[in-house]
Amino acid sequence: MTLEQAISVLEKAGIENARFEAQLLLGITVKASRAQIIAETYPPLTPEQTHRFIQLVLERRNRVPLAYLRGSQEFYGLTFAVGEEVLIPRPETELLVDFAREKLADPVTPPLIADVGTGSGCIVISVLKHLPIATAVATDISANALTLARRNAQANEVAHRVDWVRTNLLDGITSKFDMILSNPPYIPAAEVAKLQPEVKDNEPLLALDGGEDGFAIVRPLIESAFRSLKRGGYFALEIARGQAPDAIILLERAGFQGVDARRDLAGIERVVFGRKP
Ligand SMILES: C[S@@+](CC[C@H](N)C(=O)[O-])C[C@H]1O[C@@H](n2cnc3c(N)ncnc32)[C@H](O)[C@@H]1O
């Protein structure tokens, strides 16, 4: 299959930016940058590489996300291995890392942070990379996600500062935290089926499905976070478009103070946060 044939296959499947994606897939195949592909400065494909390229193009035609085909995704300037066991890190989730860096910029004592539903580990690993004296507990209900997160922590040289726990939310964890961060599943169940095929057919349902109203995990998480924080500790939570007003009410009812929301680059209220008095 030539590059032009690959572009045509992807175009017919309705993939936007078919040329760009086909170039990336060829780059994955021959381990070359997109610039090298454009400049045609890569060696001719071996039969094995041709086979692999066809496979990648067909998988992409079937809407497997590019990040899964590449096996990695960039987040907060770091590289994370990703596979079908974890959500692909999204740029808007970087807001949680910014929040942690801002609030814990000058800690008096080494801060202890929790990341609930760590997935690929992108949040906790990025935070620890920027807060060299912090340590963390990262939880997930998925054992496979935790295995991958641990691998990502090793690759990013922070593994010795994270305790990985397979549990529901923060169940069974007795430590008290200076900050709890979470990007939980928050999509209302009926909305999941309407997501793009890349997401609904490929990313783990466990990472997406927030129950009937999207708050099935968020509600107990807010209660659990309040109990597990030290006095003065912060909680920040990613939410979906339109969920901020309800999430703010839930945080205030749980006892949090200074509750507010932050917008992402698209102007959507994406993170709500509060402080335990
Ligand atoms: C939206 S993904 C977020 C993954 C990652 N933190 C990120 O931001 O890319 C939610 C994660 O929560 C995990 N999860 C779902 N229900 C959970 C629960 N009850 N307790 C702990 N983790 C849960 C899922 O397995 C998934 O890894």
Side-chain angles (χ1 to χ4, degrees), residues 19-42:
R19 175 169 296 274
F20 175 81
E21 293 215 9
Q23 288 165 341
L24 289 181
L25 293 175
L26 186 54
I28 295 170
T29 309
V30 298
K31 297 189 171 49
S33 67
R34 196 172 149 251
Q36 286 170 293
I37 300 297
I38 292 169
E40 297 183 12
T41 56
Y42 57 93

Side-chain angles (χ1 to χ4, degrees), residues 240-256:
R241 181 203 290 259
Q243 290 179 336
D246 287 348
I248 286 173
I249 291 170
L250 290 172
L251 280 170
E252 285 175 342
R253 264 197 217 143
F256 284 102

Side-chain angles (χ1 to χ4, degrees), residues 87 89 93 117-119 122-123 140-142 167-169 183-185 206-207 217:
L87 188 91
T93 304
T118 196
C122 61
I123 299 169
D140 207 291
I141 203 133
S142 156
T167 189
N168 173 52
L169 305 177
N183 173 19
L206 201 53
I217 306 279

Side-chain angles (χ1 to χ4, degrees), residues 2-256:
T2 64
L3 181 62
E4 293 305 320
Q5 285 169 330
I7 294 166
S8 160
V9 168
L10 297 184
E11 268 172 359
K12 281 190 190 128
I15 307 273
E16 281 177 36
N17 306 319
R19 175 169 296 274
F20 175 81
E21 293 215 9
Q23 288 165 341
L24 289 181
L25 293 175
L26 186 54
I28 295 170
T29 309
V30 298
K31 297 189 171 49
S33 67
R34 196 172 149 251
Q36 286 170 293
I37 300 297
I38 292 169
E40 297 183 12
T41 56
Y42 57 93
L45 272 65
T46 64
E48 292 75 28
Q49 285 175 327
T50 303
H51 180 69
R52 175 82 184 119
F53 183 47
I54 293 170
Q55 240 183 357
L56 287 173
V57 171
L58 295 183
E59 283 189 79
R60 187 64 194 108
R61 184 188 68 178
N62 291 339
R63 300 290 178 152
V64 176
L66 202 58
Y68 287 156
L69 297 176
R70 194 173 42 217
S72 67
Q73 177 69 21
E74 190 154 310
F75 177 85
Y76 219 84
L78 301 171
T79 302
F80 292 86
V82 292
E84 285 167 9
E85 61 273 49
V86 295
L87 188 91
I88 300 163
R90 308 291 205 269
E92 56 269 27
T93 304
E94 294 184 354
L95 274 180
L96 288 175
V97 183
D98 288 339
F99 180 84
R101 289 184 66 191
E102 178 191 312
K103 299 294 181 194
L104 299 174
D106 286 309
V108 182
T109 52
L112 179 62
I113 297 161
D115 175 17
V116 182
T118 196
S120 63
C122 61
I123 299 169
V124 69
I125 292 167
S126 304
V127 170
L128 291 185
K129 235 10 212 181
H130 286 275
L131 299 175
I133 61 168
T135 54
V137 174
T139 76
D140 207 291
I141 203 133
S142 156
N144 290 338
L146 287 171
T147 303
L148 189 61
R150 194 179 278 122
R151 235 178 79 202
N152 279 324
Q154 279 158 357
N156 285 293
E157 299 171 331
V158 297
H160 57 293
R161 291 194 278 141
V162 193
D163 194 5
W164 308 98
V165 185
R166 185 182 183 196
T167 189
N168 173 52
L169 305 177
L170 289 160
D171 291 359
I173 295 170
T174 52
S175 308
K176 297 286 180 204
F177 297 95
D178 297 283
M179 178 171 285
I180 298 177
L181 303 168
S182 183
N183 173 19
Y186 53 59
I187 300 173
E191 301 290 319
V192 174
K194 299 182 201 155
L195 297 171
Q196 312 165 274
E198 276 84 347
V199 181
K200 71 176 163 73
D201 297 338
N202 292 279
E203 297 199 79
L205 191 60
L206 201 53
L208 302 170
D209 190 347
E212 202 178 333
D213 64 352
F215 283 87
I217 306 279
V218 169
R219 252 184 235 101
L221 170 61
I222 291 173
E223 301 291 331
S224 177
F226 192 82
R227 281 193 301 274
S228 294
L229 278 172
K230 292 179 190 167
R231 284 189 188 154
Y234 288 97
F235 175 50
L237 169 72
E238 182 172 320
I239 48 162
R241 181 203 290 259
Q243 290 179 336
D246 287 348
I248 286 173
I249 291 170
L250 290 172
L251 280 170
E252 285 175 342
R253 264 197 217 143
F256 284 102

